[in-house]
Amino acid sequence: ITILAVSLNRIAADVDSSVAVVSWAITGPMLAFGVVGPLYGKFGDLHGHKRMFVGGLAGAGVFAALTAVAWDAWSMVLFRTLSASAGAATGPATMAFITRLFPAEQRVRPLGWWTFVSAGAPVLGVVAGAPLVDQFGWRVIFAVQTPLCFVGAVVALVLLPDTQRRTGVRFDLAGGASLGVGAVAVLVAINQGARWGWTSVATLGCFAAGAVVLAGFVRIERRTAEPLMPLQWLRTRNVAVPIATQSLTNAAYMGGFLLAPLVLDDLLAYSASKVGLVVIARPLAFALLATLAGAITVRVGERPAATVGTAAVVASMSCFAVVGSDSSTAFVVLALALSGVGFGISAPALTSLVASAVDEQDLGVAGALQQLMSQLGAVLGTVGMTSVQQVVQARDGLEASFLPAFALGGTLAVAALVLSTFTRSLDR
């Protein structure tokens, strides 16, 4: 997705479309990835997470192959969205495997390695993907992804143990449908609000529809004997607080992810190659710190780790807010690295808290709920920060536009920092 984001102009020209249409190849998967996660998580809890993990990878591979041969913009968007929807099954399953295979006091270490892999992928995308796209075109992204998905599915099929399946339990179809529809409505409103207008009928209608449907979801969950999401989680400190903290942290992190290249390209006038090298500082710091986060968290506890991590994201937003046309490359690298360090430390600790606060039979749904809220935060941060930057740029000019945008990111990160102090470290 890192390479896809910087290839939109080329793809639009190749399929004779516009960037606005082709950008749905990023927006659509972003919406789908978060929304279908709870359904996969519940299916995994009921029918085994190995089945969901292997099937998700295989499905992602099939639709990646179809994306590589897409004949127009909308077919590419459709296949890309279906591929992400299938791949979303791996997130809840991964969390369920790690939390079942390791005792509570050891989980943060493998969760750190999981975060390392997730954070290291963008580094590989920038370093290896860009030359491939330059040489062979954008379709190579999906041509390479296809065999990797199938190889991953075969390895998982051979190596992963299956998880215990629950019997005599019915799937909460009404709850799943209402959560999916409500979440999509809210995500679309946030994602398209800047384009449609925040007071437009379409935006307000999506917000209203989402609120109504999600209220219906709560009523359904209260009545059903086997709810998709146990509502008592909303009153559980080490579930609700870590999930909200990670969502807000991800909002600042992803908002900065989209704005940082604009700072480097438009404000500092870096070359394309220099931009690629400099932005690696964030995912690289993220990946490296994630591997150490387990050892750090075991020593100091989950709450201090989460607090330090979110504080580093606050510092990153503060640095970016004061970047000017005369700022040094070292200062920009520091700002990027602080963001990566912060998320790399906080994410494994927060995930460990959630995993240890729910029953083992609900680990898949808990992981999916965390995935959904993190995705909601990402959409909120990217849309909010980029919208503020564009509005201020049109009024006051480019250099003045980044301060309020990153100030919004800093405000979200400060809220995450405050929330992190209400978590409770695990007993060791």
Side-chain angles (χ1 to χ4, degrees), residues 143-155:
V144 171
Q145 183 185 5
T146 299
L148 292 177
C149 287
F150 290 140
V151 169
V154 171
V155 171

Side-chain angles (χ1 to χ4, degrees), residues 71-294:
W71 50 89
D72 60 18
W74 288 112
S75 64
M76 191 269 285
V77 170
L78 173 63
F79 293 139
R80 170 70 191 130
T81 301
L82 291 173
S83 180
S85 298
T90 62
T94 300
M95 179 173 168
F97 275 117
I98 290 175
T99 50
R100 280 177 166 88
L101 293 172
F102 296 88
E105 65 275 9
Q106 295 180 13
R107 287 172 187 161
V108 73
R109 292 179 183 270
L111 287 170
W113 283 102
W114 178 27
T115 305
F116 162 74
V117 173
S118 301
V123 179
L124 293 177
V126 172
V127 173
L132 285 172
V133 172
D134 288 339
Q135 184 70 29
F136 301 106
W138 64 270
R139 294 178 188 271
V140 75
I141 302 172
F142 306 104
V144 171
Q145 183 185 5
T146 299
L148 292 177
C149 287
F150 290 140
V151 169
V154 171
V155 171
L157 184 65
V158 173
L159 293 183
L160 284 178
D162 207 348
T163 58
Q164 185 176 0
R165 304 178 189 182
R166 298 171 63 184
T167 57
V169 178
R170 298 177 61 186
F171 184 78
D172 180 16
L173 289 175
S178 58
L179 176 62
V181 172
V184 165
V186 173
L187 286 168
V188 168
I190 295 173
N191 187 269
Q192 297 297 305
R195 182 179 301 173
W196 293 341
W198 292 107
T199 58
S200 69
V201 173
T203 302
L204 296 178
C206 283
F207 274 127
V212 170
V213 175
L214 289 175
F217 167 73
V218 172
R219 288 194 294 271
I220 291 170
E221 298 305 277
R222 284 176 175 166
R223 293 196 303 264
T224 186
E226 292 290 339
L228 178 68
M229 186 190 78
L231 293 181
Q232 66 267 23
W233 288 355
L234 301 179
R235 300 186 298 270
T236 303
R237 176 187 293 189
N238 273 8
V239 176
V241 175
I243 287 177
T245 301
Q246 188 163 350
S247 179
L248 290 168
T249 305
N250 201 36
Y253 182 87
M254 290 304 298
F257 174 81
L258 284 190
L259 283 183
L262 293 180
V263 173
L264 302 179
D265 187 10
D266 297 345
L267 182 62
L268 299 177
Y270 287 0
S271 66
S273 59
K274 187 173 182 179
V275 171
L277 290 174
V278 171
V279 296
I280 287 176
R282 173 168 26 208
L284 187 61
F286 187 167
L288 294 177
L289 259 294
T291 60
L292 301 175

